[in-house]
Amino acid sequence: MLRHALRPDDHTLPTAAKNVVSWSGMIYGYSQMGLHEEALTLFKHALNENVGVNDFTLSSVLRVCSASTLFELGKQVHGLSFKTSFDSSCFVASSLISLYSKCGVVEGGYRVFEEVRVRNLGMWNAMLIACAQHAHTWRTFELFEEMSVGGNVKPNFITFLCLLYACSHAGLVERGWRYFALMQELGIEPGSQHYATLVDLLGRAGKLEEAVKVVEEMPVEPTESVWGALLTGCRIHGNAELASFVADKVSEMGAVSSGIQVLLSNAYAAAGRWEEAARARKRMRDEGIKKETGLSWVEEGNRVHTFAAGDRSHGKTLEIYEKLEELGEEMAKAGYVADTSFVLKEVDGDEKSMSIRYHSERLAIAFGLITFPPERPIRVMKNLRVCGDCHTAIKFISKCTGRVIIVRDNNRFHRFEDGKCTCGDYW
Ligand SMILES: [Zn+2]
Ligand SMILES: [Zn+2]
């Protein structure tokens, strides 16, 4: 309802007030409120009415494109930034780096970064986030060195969050501790997000006791993300006992989000505490927490094709399923065996009930295979985590087809090429 009430047309400004500043302010406002369509409509109006654009407008529009992974449109806005010379603004450049990174084209981010010689902290941070998300782990550390030494830019709390995140994805425990100490030496107090990332790093690396110690000793109250990180570590390393202990702690907190309720119920189930598992499930139902529907999408020109698990609504459904059948045979010959245990253990949301063969990302990839020319990488975005079996399957698909497949899930990027993934199976 609100969306309609706030349509740009209803907010038409008096002619005298229609200048670049008022337009850019409104576009920024819409983008901040998550009214992406409205922001884009207004931007188009601004272009039609020749009110001009500024770096603020371009940066807001680019952020909308990133958030909705509208890569083609984003590239057009990049072209416009270039024409208007705003591409050298740190504001615009930072947004461009995030756009390229979020759309799975980190190379584009590097190019933008190299072209702008005078960089502010926001731009360094944007590049660091991109590197960390794309598992260019060592590049993250190198950039940090460059930034502090040559760039003469002082890092802030976001910088250290990127560094810890990079360490966490690569399992670099010692280095993570070093950065954690360094930030405090520089007078930056770690916040709950830093603790969550540190616990994530320790948990994923199997140092669960160390992780518990961090949680017990942290000076601020552990947040849901901190507990969530610990539960994730327990799940990865099969420590059901600790998981159920942590789950008790979280249950004491009272109201928690849907994501952690799922973790709780899984933790109790893994420990064989079925009653508690059922109670956690019931609480989700009572509180009306809906499991997020697993969706994957692919961009083709200015169109976005979205798939749910087992989806048969797409115009090319027949070809897509045929492609999957055909691939299935090739993959089996190459040695792929479906691991159905993931159906029970690992899958979040409502994808669990679906046959893993038709998880949304596989449909999206099959669509990419039949649609895009062979040299074009297939970029798929997904709102949930990729399950272990799909991860294996996509490795086989990249090997059998010789295609590059980039999947962004809710946590990170995977670039599959020749049977391998850049995450090194650590995600
Ligand atoms: Zn899957
Ligand atoms: Zn991967």
Side-chain angles (χ1 to χ4, degrees):
M1 293 308 119
L2 193 65
R3 288 177 70 89
H4 289 290
L6 283 166
R7 288 192 70 82
D9 298 342
D10 302 339
H11 276 236
T12 312
L13 294 164
T15 317
K18 274 186 189 169
N19 59 37
V20 62
V21 176
S22 58
W23 279 102
S24 69
M26 281 178 70
I27 292 170
Y28 174 76
Y30 281 134
S31 70
Q32 288 298 94
M33 288 157 82
L35 298 169
H36 294 162
E37 241 172 86
E38 286 78 358
L40 292 177
T41 311
L42 203 57
F43 177 59
K44 281 178 202 155
H45 279 307
L47 291 181
N48 289 340
E49 304 225 348
N50 276 324
V51 278
V53 289
N54 58 16
D55 51 348
F56 197 52
T57 324
L58 291 168
S59 148
S60 306
V61 172
L62 285 166
R63 295 211 170 263
V64 169
C65 295
S66 305
S68 322
T69 55
L70 294 168
F71 187 48
E72 298 299 326
L73 184 63
K75 275 198 293 191
Q76 289 171 27
V77 179
H78 187 181
L80 183 64
S81 316
F82 185 73
K83 261 195 259 168
T84 49
S85 299
F86 283 120
D87 60 328
S88 57
S89 135
C90 284
F91 263 152
V92 175
S94 307
S95 307
L96 279 169
I97 293 168
S98 328
L99 169 81
Y100 280 103
S101 167
K102 286 203 176 123
C103 294
V105 194
V106 68
E107 302 77 15
Y110 282 126
R111 270 198 302 278
V112 171
F113 186 74
E114 287 307 321
E115 276 161 14
V116 180
R117 304 310 304 181
V118 184
R119 301 161 184 148
N120 66 5
L121 177 62
M123 204 176 145
W124 282 98
N125 281 344
M127 197 65 240
L128 286 169
I129 296 170
C131 288
Q133 280 183 326
H134 285 270
H136 294 187
T137 307
W138 292 98
R139 190 79 191 104
T140 316
F141 304 147
E142 281 165 17
L143 273 175
F144 173 65
E145 293 297 316
E146 267 177 54
M147 159 186 177
S148 351
V149 182
N152 232 338
V153 174
K154 262 176 62 190
N156 68 354
F157 66 101
I158 296 176
T159 317
F160 282 99
L161 209 49
C162 295
L163 292 167
L164 289 171
Y165 183 76
C167 292
S168 158
H169 280 318
L172 301 168
V173 172
E174 239 175 81
R175 192 176 264 268
W177 273 120
R178 263 206 320 272
Y179 287 130
F180 195 72
L182 178 62
M183 71 182 283
Q184 292 170 81
E185 278 166 35
L186 294 174
I188 305 165
E189 270 314 305
S192 61
Q193 279 175 293
H194 297 95
Y195 280 102
T197 316
L198 182 64
V199 170
D200 188 68
L201 161 62
L202 296 168
R204 282 175 193 273
K207 304 205 175 290
L208 291 168
E209 272 172 40
E210 221 172 309
V212 170
K213 200 157 168 271
V214 169
V215 177
E216 280 172 351
E217 290 174 4
M218 60 188 276
V220 282
E221 205 46 43
T223 55
E224 242 186 77
S225 332
V226 174
W227 292 118
L230 195 50
L231 284 171
T232 303
C234 293
R235 182 196 66 191
I236 293 172
H237 296 282
N239 192 331
E241 201 186 324
L242 181 60
S244 70
F245 166 77
V246 174
D248 287 340
K249 288 268 181 201
V250 181
S251 302
E252 284 165 21
M253 280 171 64
V256 288
S257 72
S258 59
I260 202 143
Q261 286 285 11
V262 175
L263 285 174
L264 285 186
S265 134
N266 290 348
Y268 284 130
R273 291 170 62 182
W274 304 110
E275 247 171 71
E276 282 96 338
R279 213 175 297 147
R281 291 265 163 208
K282 185 177 179 302
R283 212 162 28 230
M284 283 166 63
R285 275 197 306 277
D286 291 349
E287 288 164 19
I289 297 170
K290 290 222 171 54
K291 282 181 271 176
E292 204 176 344
T293 304
L295 293 175
S296 296
W297 59 99
V298 177
E299 204 187 0
E300 181 207 14
N302 279 333
R303 272 194 69 191
V304 177
H305 301 260
T306 307
F307 300 89
D311 201 335
R312 287 185 179 270
S313 62
H314 192 273
K316 285 191 181 172
T317 290
L318 281 181
E319 289 109 301
I320 289 169
Y321 279 80
E322 230 167 71
K323 188 76 202 170
L324 284 176
E325 284 305 314
E326 181 195 314
L327 273 174
E329 282 166 29
E330 280 177 53
M331 284 154 64
K333 270 189 218 143
Y336 164 73
V337 184
D339 183 350
T340 45
S341 67
F342 286 112
V343 177
L344 294 170
K345 279 196 317 216
E346 263 201 46
V347 185
D348 301 332
D350 72 347
E351 288 205 327
K352 188 178 270 185
S353 54
M354 275 299 176
S355 162
I356 46 174
R357 288 178 67 191
Y358 304 123
H359 274 174
S360 59
E361 57 270 52
R362 301 202 197 187
L363 300 178
I365 290 168
F367 170 78
L369 286 170
I370 57 175
T371 310
F372 303 136
E375 66 283 0
R376 176 172 162 179
I378 297 168
R379 279 190 300 273
V380 173
M381 311 292 160
K382 185 176 184 192
N383 62 341
L384 301 177
R385 185 174 174 273
V386 176
C387 82
D389 187 57
C390 284
H391 195 268
T392 309
I394 302 169
K395 285 200 278 184
F396 276 95
I397 295 175
S398 73
K399 179 127 190 115
C400 293
T401 60
R403 305 282 291 247
V404 174
I405 302 166
I406 300 156
V407 181
R408 189 199 74 184
D409 66 11
N410 61 351
N411 194 30
R412 61 170 304 148
F413 278 93
H414 303 267
R415 185 189 168 96
F416 299 90
E417 195 170 0
D418 195 28
K420 287 194 235 17
C421 179
T422 46
C423 75
D425 301 335
Y426 193 87
W427 85 101

